[in-house]
């Protein structure tokens, strides 16, 4: 018992160390970070006009939009497993899977947990957890999770008051009392032999900086300095618009009497500046005007930052608002996204392995035993590219007609879900049975006609 509390304390310390950099990354994704400036160009009182370009979140969203899981296929089968997809739909994972991918891409890691569903044992519960609340210890050799904990229900000081400790053979729910952790609910001794927590690690590597407690790397890491520089350029433009865009005017040799209205009263400063008083009868007064500042250089700088952001994120420059006069064709646009598509495909492999681990846990909770076949489970993803509907249909149809794919594979390539494929299969079987029944009935009628000596129609 004491050893388990020591593990919980170690996990809490790890989370406390990593929380600050993760919150910084989260602020960048949400566009709520504070822009650091030298204070040379913009005085302190004008910093409320700061403009934040949310470029940091662009690569995260661009990749996440291409990660659509459509099913799981067991070894030795031609179609996706409908029972696993039923559990997926039961837990609303069409939406929640995107939350896992989003946090992993933005913060470097995220988590999914599997647990018993008392209401429906055939559909184990799948929950997704934030890396701001959950942390795990993994074996450096096997990469399997040895222990994990979720800390939540923080008080006004930000200190979590409740925790869930996940161990290979039990799960404990604890609360903080007088600064110590004590059990809040009865322990769940499940004897799985495995921690029911699966981490999703972005840009996982065999080599990581020694001593770090943050697994993975954010997709925003490379673009953050460029986004900050572009935000400073736009913020400085705010000040220029107020001071240098309007041409500056001046007058020499004028007296106060030259700034009097028709009613004999002195004109205000703004009436003087914007009024027609600049045409004065005083022969000694001379007016002049400075040219307005040219803002073209600001546009050039921001465009340069957009190209730099495009280069480090593998995204087309259009993603950062820089458009061209001659938009590319569909084929040219897809060719320009080659690096982005390949990046998304790599994420599908990495995240697919994690989702397969989640579904193996689902099968263990549902069936009461581990499945050896589940070790060779395959996750099915929608094409990460951006082909048109006609291109997809044409490619699928050609593969099917040439015998390169069967009917089931063709439907998966089309991006249809296992439930939809199942409905289509049932309709096909019903239509085939109806056609066979009609043919048998017609043959029987023909035989009766021949037996009666009647002429059989061609």
């Amino acid at each position: 018992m004491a050893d388990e509390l020591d593990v919980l304390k170690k996990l809490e310390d790890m989370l406390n160390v990593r929380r600050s950099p993760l919150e910084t990354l989260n602020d960048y994704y949400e566009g709520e970070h504070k822009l650091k400036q030298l204070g040379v160009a913009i005085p302190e009182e004008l910093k409320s006009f700061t403009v934040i370009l949310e470029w940091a979140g662009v690569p995260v969203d661009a990749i996440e939009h291409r990660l659509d899981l459509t099913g799981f296929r067991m070894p030795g089968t031609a179609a996706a497993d409908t029972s696993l997809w039923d559990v997926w739909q039961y837990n609303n994972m069409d939406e929640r899977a995107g939350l896992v991918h989003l946090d992993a891409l933005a913060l470097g890691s995220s988590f999914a947990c599997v647990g018993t569903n008392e209401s429906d044992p055939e559909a184990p519960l799948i929950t997704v957890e934030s890396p701001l609340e959950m942390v795990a210890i993994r074996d450096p050799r096997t990469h399997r999770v040895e222990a994990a904990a979720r800390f939540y229900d923080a008080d006004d000081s930000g200190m979590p008051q409740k925790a869930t400790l996940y161990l290979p053979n039990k799960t404990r729910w604890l609360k903080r009392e007088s600064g110590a952790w004590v059990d809040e609910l009865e322990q769940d001794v499940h004897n799985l032999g495995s921690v029911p927590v699966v981490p999703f690690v972005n840009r996982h590597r065999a080599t990581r900086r020694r001593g770090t407690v943050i697994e993975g790397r954010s997709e925003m890491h490379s673009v953050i300095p460029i986004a900050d520089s572009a935000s400073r350029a736009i913020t400085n433009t705010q000040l220029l618009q107020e001071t240098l865009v309007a041409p500056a005017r001046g007058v020499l040799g004028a007296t106060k009497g030259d700034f009097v209205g028709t009613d004999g009263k002195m004109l205000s400063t703004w009436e003087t500046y914007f009024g027609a008083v600049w045409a004065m009868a005083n022969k000694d007064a001379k007016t002049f005007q400075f040219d307005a500042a040219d803002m073209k250089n600001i546009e050039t700088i921001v465009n340069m930052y957009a190209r730099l952001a495009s280069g480090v994120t593998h995204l087309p420059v259009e993603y950062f608002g820089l458009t061209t006069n001659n938009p590319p064709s569909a084929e040219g646009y897809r060719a320009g996204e080659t690096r982005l598509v390949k990046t998304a495909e790599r994420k599908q492999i990495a995240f697919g392995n994690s989702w397969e681990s989640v579904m193996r846990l689902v099968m263990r909770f549902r069936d009461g035993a581990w499945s050896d076949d589940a070790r060779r489970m395959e996750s099915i993803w929608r094409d990460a590219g951006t082909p048109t509907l006609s291109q997809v249909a044409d490619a699928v149809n050609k593969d099917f007609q040439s015998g390169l794919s069967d009917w089931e594979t063709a439907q998966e390539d089309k991006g249809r879900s296992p439930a939809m494929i199942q409905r289509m299969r049932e309709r096909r079987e019903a239509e085939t049975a109806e056609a066979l029944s009609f043919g048998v009935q017609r043959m029987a009628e023909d035989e009766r006609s021949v037996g009666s000596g009647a002429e059989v129609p061609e």
Side-chain angles (χ1 to χ4, degrees), residues 218-366:
S218 171
E219 290 295 324
M220 302 185 295
H221 188 273
S222 299
V223 77
I224 281 177
I226 300 173
D228 281 348
S229 298
S231 296
R232 279 190 287 268
I234 295 296
T235 301
N236 291 340
T237 305
Q238 287 271 81
L239 183 61
L240 295 178
Q241 288 175 335
E242 298 292 335
T243 57
L244 301 179
V245 171
R249 294 174 175 178
V251 59
L252 297 174
T255 62
K256 287 186 177 181
D258 295 322
F259 300 97
V260 177
T262 56
D263 56 358
K265 296 181 178 180
M266 293 292 297
L267 297 176
S268 67
T269 303
W270 289 112
E271 287 177 319
T272 301
Y273 188 81
F274 289 105
V277 70
W278 295 98
M280 292 178 290
N282 186 347
K283 62 181 180 61
D284 295 325
K286 298 184 181 296
T287 61
F288 60 92
Q289 175 178 294
F290 294 108
D291 293 335
D294 185 5
M295 304 295 291
K296 191 69 176 177
N297 58 336
I298 300 296
E299 179 184 358
T300 302
I301 292 173
V302 174
N303 289 348
M304 178 194 67
Y305 287 137
R307 292 188 177 91
L308 290 174
S310 172
V312 300
T313 59
H314 306 171
L315 297 177
V317 72
E318 291 84 0
Y319 280 58
F320 298 94
L322 188 59
T323 58
T324 59
N325 294 328
N326 298 317
S329 62
E331 292 77 10
Y333 196 82
R334 183 178 173 88
E337 293 182 332
T338 301
R339 297 173 69 189
L340 171 60
V341 172
K342 178 53 68 174
T343 299
E345 290 174 347
R346 294 293 188 191
K347 306 302 180 188
Q348 290 177 350
I349 295 174
F351 293 166
N353 289 334
S354 296
W355 283 124
E356 290 159 17
S357 297
V358 170
M359 301 316 289
R360 282 192 285 270
L361 284 167
V362 166
M363 295 177 66
R364 171 61 179 82
F365 275 93
R366 183 191 64 186

Side-chain angles (χ1 to χ4, degrees), residues 186-198:
E186 184 179 354
Q187 301 179 20
D188 178 16
V189 183
H190 46 67
N191 291 320
L192 285 176
S194 177
V195 178
V197 174
V198 179

Side-chain angles (χ1 to χ4, degrees), residues 87-292:
V87 177
W88 184 271
Q89 294 293 331
Y90 180 92
N91 287 278
N92 194 25
M93 295 306 295
D94 283 345
E95 175 190 2
R96 295 181 179 178
L99 305 181
V100 175
H101 300 158
L102 197 63
D103 273 354
L105 293 168
L107 306 183
S109 63
S110 59
F111 299 89
C113 305
V114 182
T116 303
N117 185 358
E118 293 80 4
S119 302
D120 186 358
E122 293 298 314
L125 296 178
I126 305 174
T127 59
V128 300
E129 306 296 345
S130 166
L132 289 169
E133 293 185 344
M134 177 165 273
V135 65
I137 299 175
R138 296 210 288 172
D139 186 287
R141 182 175 65 88
T142 64
H143 294 276
R144 296 183 61 183
V145 177
E146 295 180 327
R150 176 178 176 241
F151 300 88
Y152 56 100
D153 197 14
D155 58 13
D156 294 338
S157 66
M159 179 176 292
Q161 299 301 303
K162 294 184 178 182
T164 304
L165 177 62
Y166 300 88
L167 298 169
N169 293 311
K170 68 169 65 174
T171 299
R172 297 178 60 181
W173 292 270
L174 304 101
K175 62 180 179 179
R176 199 188 299 270
E177 284 188 359
S178 302
W181 290 106
V182 297
D183 286 298
E184 181 182 24
L185 302 173
E186 184 179 354
Q187 301 179 20
D188 178 16
V189 183
H190 46 67
N191 291 320
L192 285 176
S194 177
V195 178
V197 174
V198 179
F200 289 72
V201 181
N202 184 54
R203 293 196 182 187
H204 192 54
R205 292 183 57 197
T207 302
R208 277 295 176 200
R209 187 174 65 248
R210 180 175 297 178
T212 184
V213 296
I214 300 179
E215 280 197 295
R217 186 171 183 262
S218 171
E219 290 295 324
M220 302 185 295
H221 188 273
S222 299
V223 77
I224 281 177
I226 300 173
D228 281 348
S229 298
S231 296
R232 279 190 287 268
I234 295 296
T235 301
N236 291 340
T237 305
Q238 287 271 81
L239 183 61
L240 295 178
Q241 288 175 335
E242 298 292 335
T243 57
L244 301 179
V245 171
R249 294 174 175 178
V251 59
L252 297 174
T255 62
K256 287 186 177 181
D258 295 322
F259 300 97
V260 177
T262 56
D263 56 358
K265 296 181 178 180
M266 293 292 297
L267 297 176
S268 67
T269 303
W270 289 112
E271 287 177 319
T272 301
Y273 188 81
F274 289 105
V277 70
W278 295 98
M280 292 178 290
N282 186 347
K283 62 181 180 61
D284 295 325
K286 298 184 181 296
T287 61
F288 60 92
Q289 175 178 294
F290 294 108
D291 293 335

Side-chain angles (χ1 to χ4, degrees), residues 425-439:
R425 186 189 305 111
E426 292 172 354
R427 294 191 189 112
R428 281 167 56 90
E429 292 173 352
E431 291 172 357
T432 302
E434 183 179 354
L436 290 173
S437 176
F438 177 79

